[in-house]
């Protein structure tokens, strides 16, 4: 497609422009927010929705032909993989001793002895990582 | 100049911000986050490319990129935790 | 039997996404789907086939727009916080118990929580879900998190259990 013409192409382009907008917001959040966990929140949410919108734009543009199906498949994969990856990284960060940002008010995870111990970063994995879990 | 080129430029700007954070760190976990986010961004980039050219080849690239970047993020996360990959 | 069904599903997905209807394309797809189904047999992934029950699929279709609405809301929320020059965040990790029993349902719940406003799941230990919140309420953060899980649990129970 070159420049959008016709209502369907304009709608698709609007979806994709919104997607790029959300992507950019997510990246701004990645730069501005203070710690790993907040950055993951902003990054995962905004960039996931942004990419969803881009893929939806492609589906709208091409209909459900080979290209549309690939975009749909991609959407299905992303909706499962992106939150899962975020969760894995957040857990790994906590267990490897990355502290919450100074303004944080609550850490039930450390209170329950699941993540890092103590306020100082341990600099390595905690000794009992992965043990005693159902 | 094409309307889709604007979208591509926007995505590249996002990727640049992402890379800035990857360089700034400060912890390895921050860099892992950037790799993860960059992977998802690039899937969107492939989607725009395929819409711009009308060829679904780029979406196939995006599809495999999504899966591989997921596996990569999981591997990085496990490595950060100091565990083996088959755990 | 189940392996054959899984292979057939893979094949349909292959044909839809390649659009190749020539004999070589179809044969390659059949071979790849059979290989994938056989490889997954040992992992027990076919157990997921029970999710194709029509009633479950119906509730999954109900779930999608609900989830999409939450995702859009959460993005506007994050966008508002990120653009605000004062950066209004009050982060912390709260916890809540889930009433879901099955593992796939809990995993889906954790993923949904990650995509909803201001929350991201950090870990699931037994039935306790640890959730990072970008804004921790002044009083009863765990209760607030618990209440946010409820709309998902009802639907997910219908889909997975």
């Amino acid at each position: 497609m070159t420049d959008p013409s016709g209502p369907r192409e304009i709608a698709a382009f609007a979806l994709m422009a919104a997607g790029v907008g959300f992507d950019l917001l997510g990246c701004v959040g990645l730069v501005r927010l203070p710690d790993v966990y907040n950055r993951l929140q902003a990054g995962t949410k905004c960039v996931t929705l942004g990419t969803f919108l881009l893929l939806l734009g492609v589906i709208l543009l091409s209909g459900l032909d080979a290209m549309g199906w690939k975009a749909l498949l991609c959407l299905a994969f992303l909706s499962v993989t992106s939150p899962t990856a975020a969760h894995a990284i957040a857990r790994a960060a906590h267990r490897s001793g990355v502290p919450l940002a100074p303004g944080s008010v609550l850490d039930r995870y450390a209170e329950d002895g699941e993540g890092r111990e103590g306020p100082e970063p341990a600099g390595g994995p905690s000794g009992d990582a992965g043990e005693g879990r159902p | 100049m094409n309307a889709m080129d604007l979208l591509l430029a926007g995505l590249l700007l996002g990727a640049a911000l992402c890379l800035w954070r990857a360089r700034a760190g400060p912890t390895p976990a921050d860099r892992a986050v950037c790799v993860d986010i960059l992977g998802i961004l690039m899937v969107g980039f492939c989607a725009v490319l395929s819409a711009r050219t009308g060829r679904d080849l780029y979406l196939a690239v995006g599809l495999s990129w999504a899966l591989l970047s997921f596996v990569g993020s999981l591997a990085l996360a496990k490595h950060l935790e100091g565990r083996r990959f088959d755990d | 039997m189940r392996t054959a069904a899984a292979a057939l599903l893979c094949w349909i997905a292959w044909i839809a996404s390649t659009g190749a209807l020539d004999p070589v394309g179809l044969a390659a797809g059949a071979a790849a789907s059979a290989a994938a189904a056989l490889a997954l047999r040992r992992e027990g992934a076919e157990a997921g086939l029970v999710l194709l029950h029509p009633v479950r699929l119906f509730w999954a279709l109900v779930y999608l727009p609900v989830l999409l609405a939450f995702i859009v809301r959460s993005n506007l929320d994050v966008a508002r916080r990120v653009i605000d020059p004062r950066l209004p965040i009050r982060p912390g990790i709260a916890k809540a118990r889930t009433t879901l029993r099955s593992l796939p349902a809990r995993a889906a719940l954790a993923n949904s929580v990650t995509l909803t406003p201001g929350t991201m799941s950090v870990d699931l230990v037994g039935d306790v879900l640890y959730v990072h919140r970008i804004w921790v309420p002044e009083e009863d953060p765990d209760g607030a998190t618990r209440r946010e899980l409820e709309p998902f649990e009802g639907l997910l129970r219908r889909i997975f259990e």
Side-chain angles (χ1 to χ4, degrees), chain B residues 18-59:
Chain B
C18 212
L19 286 175
W20 182 86
R21 173 51 72 190
R23 183 183 167 280
T27 65
D30 286 294
R31 302 195 165 94
V33 173
C34 290
V35 172
D36 181 40
I37 301 297
L38 204 58
I40 307 175
L41 263 183
M42 282 302 115
V43 176
F45 194 83
C46 291
V48 179
L49 266 185
S50 76
R52 187 193 189 292
T53 59
R55 300 176 60 184
D56 64 352
L57 165 73
Y58 296 104
L59 263 178

Side-chain angles (χ1 to χ4, degrees), chain A residues 32 41 46 106 108-109 112, chain C residues 82 93 95 123 130 142:
Chain A
R32 279 199 73 197
Q41 285 227 23
C46 289
L106 184 72
R108 292 272 194 257
Y109 199 50
D112 290 358
Chain C
V82 162
I93 296 178
K95 70 173 176 181
D123 202 355
Y130 293 90
D142 296 337

Side-chain angles (χ1 to χ4, degrees), chain A residues 27-123:
Chain A
C27 292
V28 169
L30 206 58
V31 169
R32 279 199 73 197
L33 289 170
D35 71 356
V36 184
Y37 310 99
N38 291 311
R39 284 178 201 142
L40 255 181
Q41 285 227 23
T44 306
K45 281 181 188 135
C46 289
V47 176
T48 305
L49 180 68
T51 308
F52 274 12
L53 291 178
L54 287 175
L55 290 168
L56 282 176
V58 171
I59 295 175
L60 192 60
L61 206 57
S62 72
L64 278 182
D65 57 354
M67 192 155 124
W69 267 104
K70 275 205 188 77
L72 200 63
L73 209 57
C74 216
L75 225 149
F77 277 139
L78 267 187
S79 64
V80 177
T81 60
S82 113
T84 310
H87 149 78
I89 293 178
R91 192 173 93 154
H94 207 294
R95 283 173 175 259
S96 70
V98 178
L100 270 69
S104 302
V105 289
L106 184 72
D107 191 351
R108 292 272 194 257
Y109 199 50
E111 282 171 24
D112 290 358
E114 291 290 345
R116 71 202 165 82
E117 288 101 23
E120 286 300 310

Side-chain angles (χ1 to χ4, degrees), chain C residues 64-82:
Chain C
L64 281 182
V66 174
L67 186 62
L68 196 66
F70 271 110
I71 292 178
V72 171
R73 252 184 59 206
S74 84
N75 271 272
L76 295 178
D77 177 70
V78 169
R80 184 174 59 79
R81 290 183 199 282
V82 162

Side-chain angles (χ1 to χ4, degrees), chain C residues 50-51 53-61 158-161:
Chain C
V50 300
L51 296 181
H53 189 284
V55 176
R56 295 174 193 268
L57 281 182
F58 168 75
W59 286 111
L61 280 181
R158 291 194 176 91
I159 298 173
F160 287 101
E161 292 182 349

